[in-house]
Amino acid sequence: MKYFYSFLLLLFISINVHAQATDFITGLNDPQDMLLDGNMLYVIEADSNRIIKIDLSDPNPVPEIVISSLPVMRGLALHGTDLYFSQLNGQNKISRIDLLDPNPTPEIILEDFTSAQDLIFYGDELYIAKFGSHKIVKIDPSIPNPPIIDVVTDFETPIAMELVGDDLYVATYVSDKISKIDLTDPNPAAVDVVSNLLLPVGLVHRGNELYIAEAGQSIGQDRVSKIDITSSNPTRITVVDGLYNPTKGMEIYDNVLYFSENFKISSFGLPPLSIDDFASEKITVHPNPSSDFIEISGLTEPVNYKVYSVSGAVLETGVVAENENINVQSLSAGTYFLVLDGRETVKIVKK
């Protein structure tokens, strides 16, 4: 009898783990990279040659086409209202569109530029993971025909990047590991963070948690894992398995992890973060506590910002520059977290 109960327990655990991964949007054609802007999720649908957007605040969202007729897209990045994307295999370029334009036309930034798997902004510079060239490079896209600057070379098959403060985390597909690069270092070098993964293809972070999509399991057993990036020797923890061919796309909105699989976007509920799960403070705000406005100090250029509740919900988004104000009047009294692109997370208190 005890073996029967043990079997039931194992069955319950298995069903419980798999049941938490929910189909969110189905019927897609090879969804690849994702990018979250406020409550709007932008997704590359590679085999349909288009970018779609999904309003995550809508309880019954319907994907809308942003732009189409763009083959072999892979990476997305946002700077202001400009959405950047890369194309591979015969297209080999990086372009951008203005999201405010109802009928956007791509503007080419780089041509004859191969193997750009992922894109991310740090300040005004666009960092690019060149999968086939085994390196991370950067450009200033505000310059016509921008020069390409090597950041780290001999970086085997970089496929996905995630920025946490000044540290750029990079998933290397063939090396089965995650490394990080300190972008404030004048001579940056890759430092291994965690290894013994199985084909890591996607990254996203929430506070101190770095989530990793791994596509190297057996069919139906691919997984999303996480590590604590504050640990000196982080241990990989399985978050959800039973997946099928996850790709690069991963984002977190309102304590829900969204990730792309072969023909769909799936969702997975996450527990709320504790205060200890947020990164340490370096950028300063004043007054803090505040009842009306906060002013930011320590910025060298305008950056995108998001205000999170302690439960991980995104409450406000925008762009702020040095000594500019952010209006917090609409917030209820309590503790919040201000997250600045390319900077640290700052705890703020509304009184």
Side-chain angles (χ1 to χ4, degrees), residues 5-236:
Y5 286 125
S6 298
F7 171 77
L8 287 180
L9 178 60
L10 289 172
L11 181 61
F12 171 79
I13 292 172
S14 175
I15 292 173
N16 187 54
V17 170
H18 290 256
Q20 294 178 64
T22 303
D23 288 353
F24 178 62
I25 300 289
T26 59
L28 300 179
N29 292 314
D30 191 22
Q32 288 286 327
D33 204 7
M34 295 180 182
L35 187 146
L36 187 63
D37 182 25
N39 57 291
M40 197 64 69
L41 183 67
Y42 293 87
V43 183
I44 287 175
E45 196 177 354
D47 284 355
S48 291
N49 301 333
R50 64 188 186 184
I51 298 172
I52 59 175
K53 65 180 181 181
I54 303 165
D55 185 351
L56 297 182
S57 67
D58 187 337
N60 297 294
V62 176
E64 298 179 46
I65 297 173
V66 177
I67 192 168
S68 56
S69 302
L70 294 170
V72 209
M73 286 185 289
R74 281 299 180 271
L76 286 175
L78 185 68
H79 192 247
T81 63
D82 288 333
L83 184 65
Y84 290 72
F85 56 90
S86 63
Q87 293 174 268
L88 308 177
N89 301 346
Q91 301 297 316
N92 297 334
K93 55 193 171 189
I94 293 175
S95 307
R96 66 185 171 203
I97 57 172
D98 184 352
L99 292 177
L100 298 181
D101 188 341
N103 298 293
T105 300
E107 176 189 358
I108 297 173
I109 306 301
L110 285 177
E111 290 188 280
D112 300 321
F113 189 81
T114 61
S115 69
Q117 273 285 350
D118 203 10
L119 312 174
I120 200 164
F121 270 94
Y122 178 67
D124 293 325
E125 293 182 312
L126 180 63
Y127 284 71
I128 307 163
K130 285 181 67 65
F131 184 87
S133 301
H134 307 297
K135 60 185 178 181
I136 306 295
V137 303
K138 67 179 181 179
I139 63 169
D140 181 350
S142 68
I143 301 173
N145 302 311
I148 301 165
I149 301 170
D150 287 348
V151 178
V152 175
T153 57
D154 297 323
F155 209 128
E156 191 172 14
T157 58
I159 191 169
M161 300 183 292
E162 178 73 358
L163 189 63
V164 184
D166 297 312
D167 290 328
L168 183 65
Y169 288 80
V170 183
T172 51
Y173 189 73
V174 171
S175 298
D176 291 331
K177 65 183 180 182
I178 308 298
S179 304
K180 70 176 179 179
I181 306 166
D182 181 356
L183 297 184
T184 65
D185 190 334
N187 298 296
V191 177
D192 289 351
V193 176
V194 63
S195 56
N196 297 320
L197 303 173
L198 290 172
L199 299 185
V201 293
L203 297 175
V204 69
H205 87 284
R206 184 184 67 151
N208 298 328
E209 299 172 338
L210 183 68
Y211 290 81
I212 307 162
E214 297 179 75
Q217 329 308 308
S218 59
I219 294 176
Q221 290 301 317
D222 295 338
R223 66 193 180 197
V224 173
S225 307
K226 72 173 182 178
I227 60 170
D228 180 352
I229 57 177
T230 64
S231 172
S232 59
N233 187 26
T235 300
R236 186 202 65 78

Side-chain angles (χ1 to χ4, degrees), residues 268-295:
F268 181 84
L270 300 173
L273 284 173
S274 68
I275 290 177
D276 291 338
D277 289 323
F278 284 87
S280 61
E281 302 173 11
K282 290 185 180 179
I283 301 295
T284 60
V285 301
H286 54 278
N288 192 15
S290 174
S291 58
D292 299 307
F293 299 89
I294 56 174
E295 185 175 296

